[in-house]
Amino acid sequence: ERSPGPSMWKPLRRPARQASMRRSQRSLLSRCTAVTASAMGIAAALAVIVTRGRPGLPDALAPCYVASSVSDGAAPMPPHCQRRRLLASSAGAVVAASGRPDDQAARAADESLERRFTEDQLEKLPTGSVNPWGPSDIFMPNWTEGYWHVRAVLTNYSVPLGLYYLSNGGRNQQAAEKAIAEQRKRVGTPEEYDLRFMRTQSGNVVEDRTFNTAQRINAYAGRKVIKFIEYVDVPGNTREDALKRGDGFDDPLLSVLITFKGRVQKVFVTGFSTETSKGADGADIWRSSQSTRTLLAAPGSNYNPFAVDEEVLTEMRQEPGGAVTGRVRLLGFLNPSDELYFSAGSKAVTIADYALTFTKIQEPASEAAARAKFQSTV
């Protein structure tokens, strides 16, 4: 007997076997949550696994991530990773989109980003729509413009709701403990890469997402693993929209598509906010919150993509003498396809904290050449 959907759907399984596979899938995916939020953004977390012999992912979890994201081989996805349906990801997008822009603005006004750097019991902010009357991107202060060499050190990794939410309700305690231990081994280990914050044609300083995403992924992988990365249009944030508001052909959009060997990853920014303040010593402080949804897929493999939700909190601080430091906090959340989604109450199930130091550098020669080539064709 087959389901009434498209011909690509698998035959329906008998109830007992189907229930068993669902339990196995939920177990693995719950354990994967512990790994997802541990690196510098979801892209960097997934990049860790493509490098054989590097710390950061238990062997028991590697097959799922390797087959689903950035493997450099053609390893098949194990059965317990195969049945996270695209329908679940779509349902999550619908739920997220239910927050109206005015509701999001009201919540953001009451929500101090500084508080979200220090507290452990944190709820997911409303996401799914960017206010068309607000900023089109995460605007940064003028002093951040340019190229920076960054040294990032993981300082803490915590599970604020306990292992219950990473161990399939306590049924896989040992695997969850192993996953968390692997992440905590990385505490104190530095990673280095370059970042670029650019001024758009309309005069705003924003993150160069394609450059920065590639830098982070390759740094955490220990080698170049990205074949291609590009901006992609999504409803409400397209190249046409950008040109209409005065931005240029090569200015950043909110979503990127990353191509690896045999794998693709699409990252959407589903909500954001910023704030500025002055430190007691006169330092200029800028903070941002960026909610993302990442879809992971292996085209041509007949495996459904699955989604990961997280919030990236960033703080940059310019001291009176000019030195720039920062910190990043990654909040990992369950999504509606997870068994314990409603029980978690939209609270973060993993938190990873990083300390950053920034050193201003000149534009790399390779980037200058690529930019000149692009501009000559426009």
Side-chain angles (χ1 to χ4, degrees), residues 41-373:
I42 177 63
L46 293 171
V48 173
I49 66 167
V50 304
T51 306
R52 307 294 190 265
R54 286 175 64 87
L57 187 77
D59 293 340
L61 302 184
C64 178
Y65 273 100
V66 171
S68 304
S69 53
V70 292
S71 170
D72 57 352
M77 182 182 292
H80 48 231
C81 300
Q82 294 178 8
R83 296 183 61 81
R84 182 163 215 175
R85 295 188 178 277
L86 180 59
L87 178 61
S89 301
S90 301
V94 171
V95 171
S98 63
R100 302 190 307 274
D102 53 345
D103 293 337
Q104 183 175 354
R107 277 282 300 273
D110 296 332
E111 186 74 28
S112 167
L113 296 186
E114 183 177 14
R115 180 184 70 81
R116 294 182 73 79
F117 275 98
T118 57
E119 297 185 3
D120 291 333
Q121 299 297 318
L122 294 168
E123 291 190 4
K124 188 176 184 179
L125 295 176
T127 61
S129 55
V130 176
N131 191 335
W133 295 278
S136 59
D137 204 332
I138 302 174
F139 296 158
M140 307 180 68
N142 291 331
W143 52 263
T144 63
E145 182 181 2
Y147 286 86
W148 300 84
H149 182 72
V150 179
R151 186 176 188 270
V153 179
L154 178 65
T155 59
N156 182 61
Y157 184 85
S158 63
V159 186
L161 299 187
L163 286 176
Y164 180 83
Y165 288 90
L166 300 180
S167 60
N168 197 22
R171 292 189 289 274
N172 295 285
Q173 186 87 1
Q174 185 175 1
E177 289 175 349
K178 182 179 179 181
I180 293 171
E182 288 290 333
Q183 296 310 306
R184 287 176 174 164
K185 285 181 182 178
R186 298 178 52 248
V187 172
T189 302
E191 294 288 351
E192 299 190 20
Y193 46 85
D194 296 336
L195 296 179
R196 181 196 183 201
F197 306 113
M198 59 180 289
R199 188 173 298 276
T200 65
Q201 188 170 296
S202 58
N204 300 301
V205 178
V206 300
E207 176 182 12
D208 183 346
R209 285 189 178 84
T210 54
F211 178 83
N212 293 356
T213 299
Q215 284 286 310
R216 293 187 185 107
I217 288 179
N218 292 333
Y220 279 91
R223 59 189 175 87
K224 185 177 180 180
V225 295
I226 291 181
K227 293 182 63 178
F228 189 69
I229 182 170
E230 62 180 330
Y231 292 111
V232 291
D233 290 352
V234 297
N237 189 255
T238 67
R239 180 59 63 193
E240 182 180 0
D241 295 332
L243 294 174
K244 286 180 178 179
R245 64 175 175 259
D247 287 334
F249 284 98
D250 58 342
D251 285 342
L253 298 178
L254 292 179
S255 301
V256 297
L257 179 66
I258 310 163
T259 303
F260 305 90
K261 185 177 181 180
R263 308 289 178 257
V264 294
Q265 176 178 320
K266 195 170 186 179
V267 184
F268 306 84
V269 175
T270 58
F272 58 82
S273 62
T274 63
E275 69 179 25
T276 58
S277 64
K278 277 282 188 180
D281 57 355
D284 292 315
I285 302 174
W286 174 85
R287 301 183 187 92
S288 72
S289 168
Q290 179 177 226
S291 298
T292 64
R293 166 157 290 184
T294 300
L295 295 181
L296 310 165
S301 64
N302 294 324
Y303 301 139
N304 286 332
F306 64 90
V308 177
D309 294 343
E310 72 173 355
E311 178 184 352
V312 183
L313 291 160
T314 304
E315 178 183 279
M316 293 182 68
R317 178 187 182 98
Q318 185 185 46
E319 305 294 344
V324 176
T325 58
R327 53 179 173 167
V328 165
R329 168 169 272 204
L330 306 178
L331 308 178
F333 298 93
L334 302 183
N335 61 46
S337 61
D338 291 299
E339 179 183 11
L340 299 175
Y341 171 75
F342 292 103
S343 178
S346 297
K347 289 185 171 62
V349 296
T350 59
I351 298 178
D353 291 302
Y354 288 80
L356 278 60
T357 56
F358 293 82
T359 304
K360 197 70 173 289
I361 61 173
Q362 297 296 317
E363 179 181 20
S366 58
E367 286 300 308
R371 180 165 52 82
K373 181 179 179 180

